[in-house]
Amino acid sequence: MTESTVKRDVGLLNPASIGQVNRSRVLELLHQNGPSSRAQLARALNVNRATIASILQPLIDNNTLVEGEQVAASPNGGKPARPLWFDADGLELGGMRLADRTVAAARIGMDGTVRVQAQATIEPEHGIDQVQEAVLALAARCFDGQALLGIGVAASGMVDTTTGTIISLHLAPVLNDYPLGRVLAERFGVPVAVDHHPRVRALGDKWFGHGRHLSSFASVYTGEALGMGIVHEGRIIAGPAGAGGEYGHIVVDMGGERCLCGRRGCWEMVASVLWLRREAERRGVEDAGAVGAAALAGSAAAGDQTAKELLDLYARNLAIGMANNEQMLASGTYVVHGDAAAGGELMKSRLEHWLTSFSPRRGTPPSVVLGDSGDQIALLGGAGLVLSQELGAGI
């Protein structure tokens, strides 16, 4: 969070912090289970009617939740219920994604409904003033004049989460040491949180996607860079001030090509789209500069043996980094986003084959779930970052 965010007391649980924990749990339950009655929420939290009323009333008063239409009682009898759900006219969440050449923004309801979304191109060769102008103009299209709980940003590169600063971005050095969080907070007057984009994607999966019912999983980003955000026992794994999480720079080949980070043989150097296109060119694939998992899967399905072999090698190399995590944390489920997700069921099957081959043989083998191939989950993750920061839930 930026310096504009109010700091919360840290210490033993007190009535105020217990209330915050309970409110957080209510919102998580609603995200997981959909509209729920007071009785259902009380049972899930193991509290009585009076306690659930005290938890819910502030959320109704501040327009976070609203009572729905009355529904009939169960066949076993009882009083008709009025399920609670997020107020369509209540506070909204701001989500942003900043990469080396693109910026995207969305205004998102508390239930994960995207109300407004926009995207623009930025030119990293230009000066920081021009880049900032493009970022703020795009954000203003979505956020100006709106009541936001906050803005969460999925930023490429290395991030200092305490200040909301991009420390370094290899593909766009113009953004090195850029205080993005402070700039957005001053412009829009709301709390702003900035974090490393694979972790933010994992929050998108946790709050609004395939990870809603999972206590542990990994969210894998594939594209011109590689990244992985990990939720372990309900919490995002991150080091102090947002350190760590640079899974694309785990060394998998000591004698490999030199990466932009200065090391040799990083995972990115053998499993990114940039590597894929170089390898496609080396193998004589037509239009190699535009090759991705979707094109390879289509050609492989049509009987192209070269495409089939290259897709399998791509899946194998991606699975190496995922299996390294499986060896360490046993995340179990890998939600794959970006280019590899566009490869469909064929890519999924090859990823699961290699991931299982490289992982420990213990109980149920790890599984792969296909996420989105664009930035939607990153924007939803920005909303999830706001929720997690505001509620102290899972980060």
Side-chain angles (χ1 to χ4, degrees), residues 114-276:
V114 176
R115 307 283 173 74
V116 175
Q117 183 174 337
Q119 181 172 312
T121 299
I122 56 177
E123 302 291 341
E125 298 83 8
H126 293 169
I128 190 60
D129 289 344
Q130 288 173 282
V131 172
Q132 177 173 293
E133 182 179 354
V135 169
L136 290 179
L138 189 280
R141 287 169 58 187
C142 293
F143 305 147
D144 262 355
Q146 304 299 319
L148 298 178
L149 184 62
I151 299 171
V153 186
S156 294
M158 193 180 300
V159 175
D160 183 337
T161 57
T162 61
T163 62
T165 300
I166 297 175
I167 298 172
S168 66
L169 177 51
H170 297 311
L171 295 175
V174 68
L175 288 167
N176 291 355
D177 299 315
Y178 181 59
L180 175 62
R182 176 177 59 78
V183 170
L184 289 172
E186 290 177 353
R187 170 63 178 79
F188 296 101
V190 297
V192 177
V194 182
D195 208 336
H196 188 42
H197 80 101
R199 282 196 292 262
V200 180
R201 285 176 181 270
L203 280 172
D205 283 319
K206 179 183 185 301
W207 280 99
F208 306 108
H210 294 289
R212 281 182 295 177
H213 299 285
L214 301 174
S215 61
S216 297
F217 67 92
S219 182
V220 185
Y221 172 72
T222 64
E224 292 190 359
L226 292 182
M228 190 153 54
I230 298 173
V231 174
H232 188 70
E233 298 298 327
R235 300 188 70 84
I236 288 282
I237 291 180
E246 298 287 342
Y247 292 95
H249 297 290
I250 292 174
V251 175
V252 296
D253 181 3
M254 293 292 289
E257 294 183 54
R258 189 173 297 280
C259 179
L260 287 173
C261 74
R263 300 173 184 83
R264 286 190 177 275
C266 291
W267 186 30
E268 280 189 5
M269 299 308 296
V270 298
S272 70
V273 168
L274 298 177
W275 164 83
L276 179 65

Side-chain angles (χ1 to χ4, degrees), residues 38-39 42-43 46-56 78-80:
R38 287 172 168 80
R43 283 195 297 270
N46 195 27
V47 299
N48 59 35
R49 287 179 175 273
T51 300
I52 197 65
S54 68
I55 296 169
L56 293 173
K79 183 179 178 182

